[in-house]
């Protein structure tokens, strides 16, 4: 069974640009969560999607947005990039956060560098 | 305000000895707790979990203890092996649809 796939793995952007990251969950998983990992802050929750609906949202500004498609694939977008947005963005999937025990399966992440 | 705290950024242990990683939480609504392990350039992988109705869960060399009154949990690794060297994240959730809240992680180094 293929794991969670994130693309691109690495990217470099400049301040003010926007970026879109993609995540393909494990087949059959309907919930997709996004996290930002930075050296000083650990993993911070961005948002969770289930059946194309945003079910939970963390404390990030509106520049961070996401969506989920009918095949459960998800994208997150960051507009007007700032230097502080440089981080590893992790996507995680699970069969159904409402029914299971909360275990998440993570992808390898997309490393974003903002110059 | 950090709801899940891992106060030790790093821990160094000799191979064969016990590793104890600690985690504190502030939200009394948390009812499910998990530990994840992360190697460099890889995503976190699930290690072990515990429900709030239990105070101990064991899986091979890994045991998680939960002290609800102290809002504290710990992960014990016995015996520690060099391959256990990684960053360990504690996470917690409230309810069946609550998102996972992670701590900042503890970097464990197991020396041969």
């Amino acid at each position: 069974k293929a794991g969670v796939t994130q693309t691109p793995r690495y990217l470099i952007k400049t301040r003010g640009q926007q970026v879109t990251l993609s995540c393909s969950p494990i087949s059959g998983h309907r919930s997709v969560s996004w996290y930002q990992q930075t050296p000083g802050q650990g993993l911070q929750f961005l948002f969770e999607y289930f059946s194309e609906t945003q079910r939970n949202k963390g404390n990030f500004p509106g520049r961070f947005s996401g969506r989920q498609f009918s095949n459960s694939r998800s994208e997150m977008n960051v507009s007007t990039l700032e230097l502080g947005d440089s981080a590893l963005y992790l996507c995680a999937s699970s069969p159904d956060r409402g029914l299971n025990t909360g275990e998440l399966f993570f992808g390898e992440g997309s490393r974003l560098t903002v110059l | 305000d950090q709801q899940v705290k891992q106060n030790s950024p790093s821990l160094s242990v000799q191979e064969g000895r016990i590793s104890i990683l600690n985690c504190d939480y502030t939200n009394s609504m948390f009812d499910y707790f998990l530990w994840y392990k992360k190697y460099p350039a890889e995503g976190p992988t699930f290690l072990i979990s515990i429900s709030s109705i239990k105070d101990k869960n064991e899986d091979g060399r890994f045991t998680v203890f939960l002290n609800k009154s102290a809002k504290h949990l710990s992960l014990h690794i016995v015996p520690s092996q060099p391959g256990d060297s990684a960053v360990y994240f504690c996470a917690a959730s409230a309810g069946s649809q609550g998102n996972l809240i992670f701590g900042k992680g503890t970097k464990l180094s197991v020396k041969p």
Side-chain angles (χ1 to χ4, degrees):
Chain A
K1 202 175 195 182
V4 178
T5 304
Q6 292 187 245
T7 57
R9 288 293 312 279
Y10 303 92
L11 67 166
I12 299 174
K13 293 284 187 178
T14 56
R15 279 182 300 175
Q17 286 187 311
Q18 67 94 26
V19 67
T20 299
L21 309 177
S22 180
C23 172
S24 293
I26 292 173
S27 178
H29 285 192
R30 298 166 65 192
S31 169
V32 174
S33 300
W34 288 89
Y35 288 83
Q36 181 196 63
Q37 185 189 7
T38 55
Q41 297 300 319
L43 276 75
Q44 295 193 86
F45 174 73
L46 281 155
F47 27 65
E48 182 212 359
Y49 286 87
F50 178 77
S51 291
E52 302 178 65
T53 300
Q54 187 180 87
R55 190 158 63 177
N56 284 301
K57 188 177 189 303
N59 296 323
F60 277 80
R63 299 186 298 109
F64 292 80
S65 62
R67 59 178 176 169
Q68 186 180 34
F69 302 95
S70 58
N71 61 358
S72 293
R73 191 176 70 85
S74 177
E75 289 181 347
M76 69 161 283
N77 184 78
V78 188
S79 63
T80 321
L81 284 166
E82 301 176 359
L83 295 178
D85 297 333
S86 296
L88 180 68
Y89 289 88
L90 291 160
C91 168
S93 74
S94 66
D96 183 344
R97 290 273 298 127
L99 296 176
N100 72 357
T101 53
E103 179 185 342
L104 297 177
F105 298 82
F106 283 87
E108 293 183 317
S110 293
R111 169 85 50 196
L112 170 65
T113 301
V114 182
L115 302 176
Chain B
D1 181 34
Q2 234 189 318
Q3 298 184 68
V4 178
K5 301 177 185 178
Q6 293 178 257
N7 292 319
S8 298
S10 63
L11 175 68
S12 184
V13 171
Q14 205 68 32
E15 180 179 6
R17 299 291 190 112
I18 183 172
S19 294
I20 300 176
L21 296 98
N22 293 303
C23 178
D24 296 296
Y25 61 95
T26 58
N27 189 342
S28 58
M29 299 300 292
F30 286 149
D31 57 2
Y32 204 76
F33 305 89
L34 305 89
W35 285 93
Y36 282 79
K37 180 168 72 172
K38 186 180 186 299
Y39 293 116
E42 294 183 13
T45 54
F46 170 75
L47 193 57
I48 191 170
S49 62
I50 187 167
S51 161
S52 60
I53 62 173
K54 295 184 176 181
D55 55 18
K56 176 183 174 181
N57 189 27
E58 192 172 353
D59 184 2
R61 296 186 298 114
F62 303 90
T63 303
V64 56
F65 295 92
L66 175 62
N67 182 334
K68 288 189 291 293
S69 61
K71 293 191 176 67
H72 176 84
L73 65 155
S74 61
L75 174 68
H76 293 210
I77 306 173
V78 183
S80 301
Q81 299 173 353
D84 296 330
S85 297
V87 177
Y88 288 78
F89 291 97
C90 169
S93 68
S96 61
Q97 295 193 10
N99 54 282
L100 281 186
I101 305 296
F102 284 81
K104 293 186 178 183
T106 297
K107 184 176 182 180
L108 173 66
S109 299
V110 181
K111 301 187 183 306

